[in-house]
Amino acid sequence: MSRPSLTAGAKRLPAGIRCHGGEESEVAVDGRAFRRALNKSDNYNRSGFGYKKEMLERMEQEYTSDVVKTLRENNNEYTWGDVTVMLAESLGFCWGVERAVQMAYEARKQFPDQKIWVTNEIIHNPTVNDKMESMGMSFIETRGDGSKDFSVVADDNVVVLPAFGASLQEVTMFHDKNVQMVDTTCPWVSKVWDTVDKHKRGQFTSVIHGKYAHEETVATASYAGTYIVVKDMKEAHYVCDYILGGKLDGSSGTREEFLQKFAKAVSKGFHPDRDLEKLGIANQTTMLKGETEMIGKLLERTMMQKFGATSVNEHFMSFNTICDATQERQDAMYALVERPMDLMLVVGGLNSSNTSHLQEIAEHKGIASYWVDEPTRIGPGNRIMHKLYYGELKETEGFLPPGPIRIGVTSGASTPDKVVEDVLNAIFAIKKDMAALQPVA
């Protein structure tokens, strides 16, 4: 098979919007114009290579589950032995994740002999990422300080950009190297980029509800102008209290304390006395929908209090950037936790933000909830190694009670149904062993 050309006839970006990137470089570039021009480049692909049907069939064979299928066919509830499983109405692979994995599979077929790099995990799921490695793809190393070693990427290599996107600096660097890029960024993520671009054009500071070190938020911030990242309502209250001179709840401090608190979460040269006059809300798509909405309303009320209701539109901008799939999975989880159960299983990558918020919903409801990424976290015996919402990895002995039990089950948007099945089979095996040890009356 002939080697697909990586460089022949490659179109370059107009000089006015190009920059020579690097992980430490400042990129003074029009992000929107850059993305439009990139779409016309021969070394960039974001629509696949014509193998969609074939790759989706392959993924169905590798990632679907008979157990989940049985649950779906029985109104999301079924009993195996003395374990009744209640499945969330919406869980698992979202459309954006499925698309990203499908495109990565297509890239491997399109470039069978090329070295393929993924700039990060393709998605936050160890099973899928292990599969990528087994297909000969490699992941660019992230150093302890969060930077990446791009020196390993040669000009004739292929680079896959993950579902949660890549920063403007990374993409310009790869384009200037004339590297073939396969961009699997979820369209919901790029919708947020369009929003922060609107903020920048209107000279609004983007308030990004997210985690400043998360890959998606790093990418979003790179397309913003002036920005600040707030991770929760507590930080949003601090910012709004500072805007109102301590008259909201007294939680804020001096300018120096503000800048120290958000040192890693603001744009270069950020000045809170200057840059909090005009605000626009955006979000990391995997955050809690309700919290993003509350932060937006808090910012709007703060701008109204400071500048007056008639001037609020000059000081606050809001667009809906909440991902439908994230919202559906959170809504399904809120419904599931209202049902009687003995415990909850949350299945998903331990570094998955959207999965962490599913766990958060269960914990806030007071349910014994166990977040695992794969079946090896369970056993031997009646024990489980699981993660709590706030990050602690904990081992719990005797997590399964004796006798008949009811288990709620959900999974993150990057989790294949097959992993849910494998986790449940580990539960079934423990319960079977426990039943066998019960004394006969």
Side-chain angles (χ1 to χ4, degrees):
M1 182 176 178
S2 61
R3 175 179 180 270
S5 173
L6 298 179
T7 57
K11 299 174 185 175
R12 304 300 291 166
L13 295 179
I17 62 169
R18 285 182 55 221
C19 69
H20 293 280
E23 55 193 305
E24 301 300 332
S25 65
E26 290 294 323
V27 178
V29 61
D30 185 332
R32 183 171 66 172
F34 175 87
R35 288 166 58 201
R36 286 177 176 173
L38 191 63
N39 284 327
K40 301 176 183 178
S41 172
D42 291 340
N43 68 336
Y44 175 81
N45 180 287
R46 69 183 187 106
S47 58
F49 299 96
Y51 309 122
K52 178 178 179 179
K53 183 175 184 294
E54 176 187 344
M55 295 307 152
L56 288 177
E57 289 174 352
R58 177 178 173 182
M59 289 165 60
E60 184 175 0
Q61 293 174 356
E62 294 175 349
Y63 297 131
T64 56
S65 158
D66 290 337
V67 168
V68 173
K69 182 180 179 182
T70 297
L71 284 158
R72 290 292 190 217
E73 291 173 347
N74 289 275
N75 200 28
N76 295 320
E77 182 172 330
Y78 197 79
T79 300
W80 287 268
D82 58 1
V83 180
T84 297
V85 178
M86 300 172 295
L87 199 67
E89 182 70 28
S90 178
L91 80 165
F93 268 11
C94 65
W95 172 78
V97 164
E98 182 179 89
R99 172 181 173 274
V101 177
Q102 163 223 315
M103 288 182 64
Y105 276 39
E106 287 194 57
R108 180 72 284 176
K109 180 165 183 173
Q110 180 72 10
F111 305 106
D113 303 320
Q114 266 78 354
K115 178 70 175 180
I116 298 181
W117 294 95
V118 184
T119 62
N120 209 297
E121 296 178 330
I122 187 71
I123 59 174
H124 285 154
N125 183 269
T127 300
V128 176
N129 291 316
D130 288 348
K131 181 64 179 178
M132 297 295 166
E133 287 190 311
S134 75
M135 294 165 61
M137 300 186 189
S138 300
F139 298 98
I140 294 175
E141 178 186 358
T142 300
R143 304 185 182 102
D145 62 358
S147 64
K148 300 175 186 176
D149 180 11
F150 294 118
S151 65
V152 296
V153 181
D155 291 353
D156 63 347
N157 291 171
V158 177
V159 171
V160 176
L161 309 180
F164 30 77
S167 72
L168 182 57
Q169 292 90 334
E170 291 179 11
V171 179
T172 52
M173 178 193 62
F174 289 133
H175 193 278
D176 283 347
K177 285 170 67 71
N178 204 32
V179 170
Q180 174 70 41
M181 286 179 282
V182 179
D183 187 356
T184 77
T185 303
C186 174
W188 276 101
V189 173
S190 54
K191 179 181 177 182
V192 180
W193 297 351
D194 291 338
T195 294
V196 297
D197 181 78
K198 291 174 183 176
H199 296 166
K200 179 168 61 175
R201 292 174 186 278
Q203 296 184 318
F204 283 69
T205 293
S206 294
V207 180
I208 304 170
H209 176 213
K211 302 167 184 177
Y212 69 81
H214 189 280
E215 302 93 326
E216 182 188 324
T217 296
V218 170
T220 295
S222 75
Y223 286 95
T226 305
Y227 69 84
I228 181 170
V229 180
V230 296
K231 69 179 180 180
D232 52 27
M233 276 295 289
K234 183 178 180 180
E235 289 194 350
H237 271 282
Y238 186 100
V239 171
C240 290
D241 186 71
Y242 186 89
I243 292 170
L244 296 175
K247 296 179 181 179
L248 178 63
D249 57 17
S251 61
S252 65
T254 64
R255 180 194 310 158
E256 291 71 23
E257 289 170 339
F258 185 105
L259 291 172
Q260 183 177 10
K261 180 178 180 65
F262 293 100
K264 297 181 179 180
V266 294
S267 50
K268 185 175 181 180
F270 186 92
H271 194 300
D273 296 336
R274 177 194 64 213
D275 296 325
L276 295 175
E277 298 280 307
K278 297 174 67 177
L279 305 178
I281 182 72
N283 70 307
Q284 181 182 314
T285 59
T286 56
M287 302 301 281
L288 277 174
K289 164 197 169 186
E291 188 168 49
T292 297
E293 291 174 337
M294 287 190 295
I295 289 172
K297 290 176 182 176
L298 174 63
L299 292 172
E300 184 177 29
R301 289 196 306 269
T302 299
M303 293 294 102
M304 290 175 66
Q305 186 172 339
K306 182 168 183 178
F307 299 104
T310 57
S311 301
V312 67
N313 290 336
E314 299 171 15
H315 295 273
F316 180 70
M317 183 183 294
S318 178
F319 300 96
N320 180 15
T321 58
I322 296 171
C323 167
D324 281 350
T326 298
Q327 178 178 331
E328 289 167 3
R329 280 148 186 76
Q330 290 174 7
D331 289 346
M333 186 62 164
Y334 280 118
L336 183 59
V337 298
E338 293 301 323
R339 302 179 64 183
M341 67 182 70
D342 295 286
L343 59 98
M344 177 75 73
L345 283 175
V346 177
V347 186
L350 299 186
N351 58 344
S352 166
S353 177
N354 78 86
T355 307
S356 76
H357 293 300
L358 298 176
Q359 173 70 11
E360 180 184 8
I361 292 169
E363 288 187 19
H364 283 183
K365 188 65 177 177
I367 295 172
S369 185
Y370 303 95
W371 171 12
V372 298
D373 56 348
E374 52 192 3
T376 57
R377 301 286 181 184
I378 301 172
N382 189 7
R383 65 165 63 95
I384 187 169
M385 181 68 71
H386 59 104
K387 190 176 183 181
L388 302 177
Y389 161 66
Y390 54 82
E392 179 187 354
L393 199 60
K394 179 181 180 182
E395 184 174 68
T396 299
E397 293 272 0
F399 76 105
L400 292 176
I405 60 173
R406 292 173 62 84
I407 298 177
V409 177
T410 190
S411 62
S414 298
T415 306
D417 287 350
K418 184 63 170 63
V419 179
V420 175
E421 175 178 310
D422 292 343
V423 168
L424 282 172
N425 282 335
I427 298 292
F428 298 155
I430 294 173
K431 288 296 290 180
K432 184 177 179 180
D433 291 343
M434 290 171 66
L437 293 175
Q438 293 296 314
V440 179

